[in-house]
Amino acid sequence: MTTPQPWPTLIQTIPSSTCMISSLFPSSKTIFFRSTFIIQNFLKPTQYRCYSPKMSATSVTLEQPSSERRAELVESLAEIRERVKSASTSGKEPTLVAVSKYKPASDILACYEDGQLDFGENYVQELEEKAKLLPADIRWHFIGTLQSNKAKILASIPNLFSIQTLGSIKAATALNKALPAERTSPLRVLIQINTSGEDSKSGIPPLSSSSSTSEVKNSDLIQLADCILKECPKLRLEGLMTIGALELSLEASETEKNADFERLKETRDVLARYLKETYPPDDGGRWGEEGTGRLLLSMGMSSDFEAALKSGSDIVRVGTGIFGQRAKKTTST
Ligand SMILES: *Cc1c(COP(=O)(O)O)cnc(C)c1O
């Protein structure tokens, strides 16, 4: 197979510092994704690559979804949306975050073109690469293990919408420091609570409504919340997140409530009471959902999002239910 000749004039219009194009085909069209120039080839194979100096050549590709895959995703997305809607208890529609870890950018594009804007990713490098390729109005939610040494990369993603896995003062201050001045709105953060107490789960311990005032004041959660409100003006404490124990979500029946979800709700209520007293909502409103001031709950995944919604969840994170099974993790980023 012969390689098509590149277009020298077109190449010259592209600053080599931002992007070098490997191969161009005669019917190429220039697309602007923020400041990055990407040449998209509309001939077969429908694939193009953009090499930025910092990235590896193989990692950044955006393929168009095949029509079969697109149809499959549109169908599963419609089903999940319907199930979210019918399980929702509050008047307000919950946020469905499509968890796209390990899934190709083309899958995300198919969902985006079907109106899905909220996507969740677990790995910083994977998120960074996808965010560069995909439309700038996607709302990215980071839901992976948050290491403070990765805060800078995360903070540099302009359309990072929230971080749902905040778990330490160190990570909060690193994020606050790393967020660029040109970011116009504070970054929403949710504190991850380890409601099941499992060693394998991240997050800080929950609070109980029976805890004494001093226990509450000295808890990890309140200290982190205080740090966000006093020392991190670029963060907005939007709510709490939990993963929960799988057994509890499988055991919970129609009548029995899931203990993880109940614990997260109770923790939220204790935290909300403390915040209302300490940082009144009319004091600039630095916490809770914008507009309502409510502390949101992010709980519920493919296997238990309906139960979570019945317990009052505001944000559900669904991966497998939309995209199908994931390949086993091979590298850690
Ligand atoms: C992977 C992941 C999900 C999605 O899980 P599914 O069971 O595939 O829906 C949700 N939340 C977090 C934190 C995850 O890591």
Side-chain angles (χ1 to χ4, degrees):
M1 208 177 101
T2 56
T3 313
Q5 286 304 304
W7 287 5
T9 49
L10 197 49
I11 281 180
Q12 275 162 21
T13 65
I14 299 164
S16 59
S17 61
T18 47
C19 187
M20 287 185 297
I21 305 301
S22 65
S23 67
L24 299 170
F25 295 82
S27 72
S28 293
K29 177 175 167 188
T30 307
I31 296 179
F32 297 83
F33 277 122
R34 296 194 301 277
S35 63
T36 311
F37 292 77
I38 291 171
I39 301 288
Q40 185 163 14
N41 161 36
F42 285 99
L43 293 176
K44 295 277 174 191
T46 52
Q47 186 179 66
Y48 67 93
R49 288 156 194 267
C50 169
Y51 299 148
S52 111
K54 277 200 232 143
M55 289 181 208
S56 65
T58 52
S59 54
V60 193
T61 64
L62 177 54
E63 290 173 44
Q64 295 296 314
S66 70
S67 53
E68 300 82 53
R69 182 60 176 155
R70 186 186 296 275
E72 196 173 78
L73 287 168
V74 165
E75 193 187 328
S76 52
L77 200 48
E79 188 213 311
I80 298 289
R81 281 176 181 148
E82 197 45 51
R83 284 171 58 192
V84 166
K85 207 168 151 190
S86 53
S88 159
T89 44
S90 66
K92 194 182 156 275
E93 214 175 300
T95 301
L96 169 62
V97 175
V99 176
S100 46
K101 60 183 172 220
Y102 306 142
K103 295 295 173 181
S106 57
D107 275 9
I108 300 173
L109 192 61
C111 296
Y112 170 82
E113 285 169 353
D114 193 47
Q116 178 67 27
L117 288 181
D118 293 278
F119 292 91
E121 287 284 342
N122 289 58
Y123 304 97
V124 174
Q125 195 190 336
E126 186 179 341
L127 170 56
E128 186 193 22
E129 289 171 356
K130 285 174 173 172
K132 277 187 179 151
L133 279 179
L134 286 156
D137 58 341
I138 283 181
R139 299 192 286 249
W140 294 108
H141 301 256
F142 184 74
I143 58 169
T145 308
L146 178 59
Q147 293 161 324
S148 36
N149 61 352
K150 297 264 172 71
K152 209 163 175 176
I153 305 175
L154 267 183
S156 72
I157 299 169
N159 51 334
L160 180 69
F161 190 78
S162 81
I163 290 186
Q164 300 201 3
T165 43
L166 190 66
S168 71
I169 288 180
K170 195 175 166 201
T173 47
L175 271 173
N176 186 66
K177 192 167 160 227
L179 281 163
E182 59 269 23
R183 213 192 141 99
T184 49
S185 58
L187 176 64
R188 297 163 187 79
V189 293
L190 286 85
I191 297 176
Q192 183 174 358
I193 306 295
N194 187 353
T195 49
S196 56
E198 296 165 288
D199 288 342
S200 61
K201 300 260 155 61
S202 315
I204 58 182
L207 293 175
S208 148
S209 53
S210 58
S211 309
S212 69
T213 312
S214 74
E215 270 169 350
V216 170
K217 280 225 159 93
N218 293 320
S219 65
D220 287 354
L221 177 57
I222 296 300
Q223 302 203 350
L224 178 52
D226 276 338
C227 166
I228 295 168
L229 284 149
K230 286 185 184 140
E231 289 160 42
C232 303
K234 291 181 189 163
L235 305 181
R236 180 184 181 98
L237 176 54
E238 194 175 51
L240 302 177
M241 177 270 207
T242 189
I243 296 180
L246 184 62
E247 310 85 77
L248 289 182
S249 69
L250 297 179
E251 276 166 20
S253 60
E254 286 295 313
T255 45
E256 231 174 301
K257 295 211 162 149
N258 178 309
D260 281 307
F261 300 156
E262 294 307 305
R263 224 167 273 143
L264 193 69
K265 224 169 22 175
E266 186 171 334
T267 304
R268 188 264 316 268
D269 294 344
V270 176
L271 175 64
R273 203 175 315 129
Y274 171 82
L275 291 175
K276 264 185 204 136
E277 285 164 9
T278 321
Y279 310 94
D282 53 11
D283 181 25
R286 296 252 342 280
W287 56 271
E289 182 188 38
E290 228 169 314
T292 66
R294 283 179 60 241
L295 278 176
L296 303 183
L297 299 175
S298 173
M299 53 189 199
M301 315 189 352
S302 292
S303 57
D304 56 13
F305 70 87
E306 282 154 315
L309 287 166
K310 288 184 183 135
S311 297
S313 179
D314 301 287
I315 302 166
V316 291
R317 312 175 308 267
V318 179
T320 318
I322 295 171
F323 297 101
Q325 293 295 329
R326 286 179 290 272
K328 278 241 160 64
K329 185 173 177 340
T330 49
T331 54
S332 160
T333 56

